[in-house]
Amino acid sequence: MKLFNTLTRQKEEFIPLEEGKVKMYVCGPTVYNYIHIGNARPMIVFDTVRRYMEYKGYEVNYVSNFTDVDDKIIKKAIEEGVTSEEISRRFIEECKKDMSSLNVKTATTHPLATKEIQGMIDMISALIEKGYAYRAEDGTVYFRTRKFKDYGKLSHKNLDDLQAGHRDIKVTGDFKEDDLDFVLWKPKKEGEPFWESPWCEGRPGWHIECSVMSKKYLGDEIDIHAGGEDLIFPHHENEIAQSEAANGVEFAKYWMHNAFLNINNKKMSKSSGNFFTVREIGEKYDLQVLRFFMLSAHYRSPLNFSEDLMEAAKNSLERIVTAAENLKHLQENAAGGETSGQESQWLKEAQGYREKFEAAMEDDFNTADAVSSVFELVKFINTKVSSESSRAFLEKLSDLLRELCDVLGIILDKEADILEEEIENLMKERQAARKEKNFKRADEIRDLLLEKGIVLKDTREGVQWKRA
Ligand code: AMP
Ligand code: ZN
């Protein structure tokens, strides 16, 4: 398996630190609003990387944080007259709903920055002790950037160029020893959340949280650290400096970065105002379509969002879902029995599409090519199956298609997209219809649910439902 490592700017063979295991950290969103579909790109991309690793038999420890203390959260809280905690709690919940609709698996751990303050204080103390950090007279703690000899190795920047860039943006009123030094801990301002520390009442800088959460949940050395390409500098560069200075070992072996989701070739971002939230797109499309659209491009290529491309993704996805449904239908009506000689031959041929799919994924997660091989498989299936096919043959083809789609996180069962809440509501409506002796409507609802794979059962405790 090869992946492009930002650190070496090369595709490299993936060799895990520990056999059979992958330790992976993905920088998560700052939670002060609904996530936009640009934020969804790294979620979908790295969830797919995880899924492929799991498909290959790796045990993946996947950690992705929520940044729940930040200027933007504080600003929003002040605007609404509520606490920062309330804002972050609300938008973490909303973000989790979006992730679930995008079929992004829950991480092994989703740590929150505000719950890891002690770890941050410990790491900052260790950095001060080793001479990599210092407290300035206003209580701010800075990282002594020039002391870390490898600074710039990820972003391939050199210190003198950085210094030149900094001269123009020098902020007056700070007490840094050097322009390049960055904040590890900062004093509180009036009305802001704060914590006690050996230096001042205050809060952590953004970069230190990921170094600490990665160390706590994955250890000092991890396999993969990932995020959007805007995080390469300064966020990831600073994480490397902090972690490697504190722990004395290489922080992450592979660094993966997704390219931007653009609109009119411009990065989608909250600050530019050119964004759609996942929620907005969800009103128009099944979010599986958004996931499929994202995977139709390579993760390191910029991707332009447009209605046309979403419509194309919708139609393509429909073709795959239709093939899966057709297989299911044929299976239900098929005669039992073994696969015929001809069918066995076809099954061997079908495995060729699995190989193509794997080859694409092994080449730096080329999901665009992997999706093409799924289409070829669909085409193959459509030409080879009929009402004459044996059940075993149909089952094997169906399993193969489902297995590959599962790696991409694409759900093939239409009924799977009915939510429990919708079921409960329909059941209530049916109950009311029965009370009014409107049996026609009651039956309609029963059939509607059945179509979505939900079976109703009358029991002594009332009507219960289960997925067929
Ligand atoms: P933020 O909440 O801004 O820290 O972003 C969370 C994640 O989304 C980070 O990994 C960002 O790099 C990523 N991200 C933000 N905007 C975009 C975009 N337009 N396209 C792709 N990734 C993005
Ligand atoms: Zn981070």
Side-chain angles (χ1 to χ4, degrees), residues 27-30 36 38-39 41-42 227-228 230-231 258-261 267-268:
C27 291
T30 308
H36 62 66
N39 301 134
R41 192 171 188 193
D230 53 336
L231 299 187
N258 64 274
F260 291 141
L261 179 75
K267 181 194 173 193
M268 181 178 290

Side-chain angles (χ1 to χ4, degrees), residues 146 158-172 174 176 178-181:
R146 283 186 184 276
N158 100 28
L159 284 176
D160 295 326
D161 292 347
L162 283 172
Q163 183 85 51
H166 264 266
R167 232 164 264 146
D168 311 328
I169 52 165
K170 184 161 169 54
V171 189
T172 49
D174 64 30
K176 289 181 189 186
D178 187 289
D179 289 349
L180 293 180
D181 296 351

Side-chain angles (χ1 to χ4, degrees), residues 25-44:
Y25 187 96
V26 182
C27 291
T30 308
V31 279
Y32 64 102
N33 212 327
Y34 290 99
I35 57 164
H36 62 66
I37 58 176
N39 301 134
R41 192 171 188 193
M43 289 175 181
I44 294 167

Side-chain angles (χ1 to χ4, degrees), residues 7 23 28 41 65 111 133 140 145 151 155 158 166 192 200 225 246 265 299 304-305 342 344 349 370 439 442 463:
L7 199 60
K23 295 189 257 289
R41 192 171 188 193
N65 66 301
T140 308
T145 301
Y151 197 82
S155 51
N158 100 28
H166 264 266
E192 288 185 357
C200 64
H225 196 115
N265 299 312
Y299 75 94
N304 231 343
F305 181 79
Q342 172 69 81
S344 300
E349 249 177 83
F439 297 113
V463 187

